[in-house]
Amino acid sequence: MEYTAKQFTPQLEKHIHTVERSMQEFLISIYEQYKEAFEKKGVQLSIDVIREGENPFHPGYHVTIQVGILEKDEFLDGLFIPIWHCVRTFFGIRSSRKLPGSKITGELMEETEEEIKKEVVDYLKMQLED
């Protein structure tokens, strides 16, 4: 769901941080659950919430779930699910510069937390089947 700067409220910021924490807690538990199975296959499992930026309402702030499979520290495959990102656009084109008429928008994931959890688990199960 896309939000304009006028819709950036303390409630939205709290919701974004709540989703981030919830996903972080889920990923910690899922890592513990699947770590050994991937080690038996001779690969490493890397799961994390990647956060760039400090303020969810400043352009450049991004939060993404990263699930990666590594072999000898080399990235083999990965799943990336964006949670929230905030960008500045000028006539629909991303811009890092504050140009007159540019707009700041944020986009929150469309999927529910349950759908994301299922996607992560399905991805891990698929990787173990290979």
Side-chain angles (χ1 to χ4, degrees), residues 36-43 71 126-130:
E36 287 182 30
F38 280 93
E39 287 174 356
K40 288 178 183 175
K41 285 188 72 170
V43 294
E71 184 173 36
M126 182 185 74
Q127 292 299 316
L128 287 172
E129 290 174 2
D130 290 346

Side-chain angles (χ1 to χ4, degrees), residues 12-125:
L12 178 58
E13 183 176 12
K14 183 178 179 184
H15 178 67
I16 293 165
H17 290 306
T18 299
V19 170
E20 288 177 23
R21 279 191 301 280
S22 172
M23 289 292 102
Q24 185 74 47
E25 290 169 8
F26 164 71
L27 293 174
I28 289 169
S29 70
I30 208 76
Y31 176 79
E32 291 302 320
Q33 184 179 344
Y34 282 89
K35 176 177 69 169
E36 287 182 30
F38 280 93
E39 287 174 356
K40 288 178 183 175
K41 285 188 72 170
V43 294
Q44 293 173 292
L45 179 60
S46 172
I47 300 179
D48 204 0
V49 173
I50 307 298
R51 184 178 297 106
E52 295 178 24
E54 297 293 320
N55 184 328
F57 300 147
H58 286 170
Y61 187 90
H62 300 275
V63 180
T64 303
I65 293 172
Q66 174 201 332
V67 180
I69 311 300
L70 299 102
E71 184 173 36
K72 298 179 184 172
D73 294 328
E74 186 175 313
F75 195 78
L76 297 178
D77 193 39
L79 173 69
F80 298 91
I81 304 171
I83 295 175
W84 169 265
H85 68 262
C86 183
V87 296
R88 179 184 305 278
T89 58
F90 183 69
F91 291 111
I93 300 170
R94 286 189 182 186
S95 172
S96 60
R97 299 170 66 196
K98 188 175 181 179
L99 301 169
S102 64
K103 297 178 182 177
I104 296 176
T105 59
E107 189 166 347
L108 188 62
M109 63 185 176
E110 298 270 337
E111 301 91 355
T112 67
E113 288 183 42
E114 291 306 313
E115 290 171 330
I116 290 174
K117 290 175 181 180
K118 182 179 179 338
E119 185 177 350
V120 170
V121 169
D122 288 348
Y123 172 79
L124 293 173
K125 286 179 179 177

